[in-house]
Amino acid sequence: MAEEDPVATFQSYLDISPFQRWLAIKAEEVGEGHLVTSIEWKEEFVSNPHTNSMHGGILASLIDLGGLYAVLSTKSVATATVDLRVDYHRPVSSGRIRATSSIVKLGSKVSTAETRITNAEGKLVASGRGVYLMA
Amino acid sequence: MAEEDPVATFQSYLDISPFQRWLAIKAEEVGEGHLVTSIEWKEEFVSNPHTNSMHGGILASLIDLGGLYAVLSTKSVATATVDLRVDYHRPVSSGRIRATSSIVKLGSKVSTAETRITNAEGKLVASGRGVYLMA
Amino acid sequence: MAEEDPVATFQSYLDISPFQRWLAIKAEEVGEGHLVTSIEWKEEFVSNPHTNSMHGGILASLIDLGGLYAVLSTKSVATATVDLRVDYHRPVSSGRIRATSSIVKLGSKVSTAETRITNAEGKLVASGRGVYLMA
Amino acid sequence: MAEEDPVATFQSYLDISPFQRWLAIKAEEVGEGHLVTSIEWKEEFVSNPHTNSMHGGILASLIDLGGLYAVLSTKSVATATVDLRVDYHRPVSSGRIRATSSIVKLGSKVSTAETRITNAEGKLVASGRGVYLMA
């Protein structure tokens, strides 16, 4: 019997969430405590049509969920985000962006994960951390 | 000639953003350095359909934009979010939520604003701060 | 038998810590979920002798410990700081500063508290939050 | 004429600050946008004498100053900390701890740096970020 493809498995986990389906998040890579996701530019993500820049809330969403699923990739169960911190480095105005998430510290009560988001040219556009409550 | 209604003015500012139109953010109150917005529960905001809870990214979005528009309400111009911090206090599963934003410190280079989000019962569900770069 | 003075009680709690004795923290007011502490300017707190400004680490220490003791003032027991966030608003160069701490959300697993620090003129110099792990 | 040793140069910069002299911070390595410092356990750093753990304010201080000096190591000038975030991972109870700081994003108006602190066994005890205002 075939082993399940972890990327397909995580894609199905991500797609459970209606908001994540709306974002059209794609699982790209999955390792233990490590996850890469991506989203494609959508007009509905725009914050300011004059500068055509992506809303900070979209980038914050990727950091929140990226960290949570990075915890899940260790087979640990996180039940909620305790807090989230996002640093915005450059505006995003087009193309696919990739979020690379990894565990900073896996704990029994809370865990910390960080995510770096790069644009189509590989430049860092936002980064940050979430702390998650463990089951 | 009539004074403009500040709530209507801010509603038009909020509606410039495609993402904010998707969130269907409503301006409720506007004062100098003070802003109340709200959103109505939507199925597409759901993070986890088992618990039917709102995605942390939606709440983060309200804190990011609430703080930015609170800065704008002082007639100062903020051009970008430097960073965002969100504390999640309770899950949100239905009803209209209200975000009350106010200035912590208005500066010439950066400004800090905070936002508290309450559910339909008036309970605190999330709160946090943004730092904004000034024009 | 006399009721204990809560300010004296909290002063004795604060003085258990060698670092807090070095800071010479004074308990000023104690209520349920509310605490005011203060410290007097000391040459050893200086970050930059050219500008004579207080080190950000001293201000961060007041926010960390203020939040923790605010949790303790509710008779709940917090065992460790999960994370700390500090916003710096103005340099501090002399006089006594006061830190007013209060509970944002008391939880069974984690609690959040915030602290505002004002200078001798009552101006906000720093503010922030800690999240604490509950016993 | 001899090139100056960058570690000795940064040690002299660190020692300008009375608080940093009290912490007895030692510059260990300096590169462009990269800095390692360390401190030796001192009784005066203790938060709780029952658990003999280092005060969170000491660890926050290392993250604040480590990031600032990492910015300075790029020959850029940062004038103040805008905000600081610290995650506490494990208690520290003895020995020398090392703080490794590096630039996340060097900007013209604000810069972000991160610091990871390890104990004598090389385990991560705290980590975090500062945002700094550029001159």
Side-chain angles (χ1 to χ4, degrees), chain B residues 82-83 85 109-110 131 133, chain D residues 82-83 85 109-110 131 133:
Chain B
V82 172
D83 65 54
R85 284 134 302 147
K109 291 174 179 171
V110 293
V131 171
L133 204 59
Chain D
V82 172
D83 66 53
R85 282 135 299 148
K109 292 177 179 170
V110 293
V131 171
L133 204 60

Side-chain angles (χ1 to χ4, degrees), chain D:
Chain D
M1 206 177 89
E3 275 281 307
E4 253 188 81
D5 171 19
V7 172
T9 303
F10 267 75
Q11 187 65 58
S12 70
Y13 292 169
L14 288 164
D15 287 343
I16 285 171
S17 159
F19 180 57
Q20 290 168 191
R21 287 199 304 270
W22 181 80
L23 291 170
I25 289 172
K26 193 172 163 236
E28 300 268 2
E29 292 175 31
V30 181
E32 184 162 336
H34 171 85
L35 181 79
V36 181
T37 60
S38 71
I39 59 170
E40 186 58 52
W41 176 263
K42 275 215 282 192
E43 209 53 41
E44 274 165 312
F45 295 163
V46 169
S47 173
N48 183 337
H50 303 303
T51 57
N52 201 39
S53 52
M54 188 179 282
H55 201 285
I58 301 292
L59 296 160
S61 299
L62 292 189
I63 291 171
D64 177 24
L65 74 92
L68 180 77
Y69 284 82
V71 173
L72 300 180
S73 76
T74 66
K75 317 278 190 217
S76 301
V77 181
T79 57
T81 308
V82 172
D83 66 53
L84 181 70
R85 282 135 299 148
V86 181
D87 291 296
Y88 297 99
H89 306 302
R90 281 183 184 84
V92 182
S93 323
S94 66
R96 181 165 285 274
I97 59 173
R98 288 164 60 91
T100 302
S101 303
S102 52
I103 299 290
V104 175
K105 172 67 165 62
L106 196 64
S108 58
K109 292 177 179 170
V110 293
S111 292
T112 307
E114 68 186 5
T115 295
R116 294 186 172 232
I117 304 179
T118 49
N119 64 14
E121 290 77 45
K123 293 222 168 178
L124 190 69
V125 294
S127 57
R129 287 182 168 194
V131 171
Y132 304 93
L133 204 60
M134 305 305 285

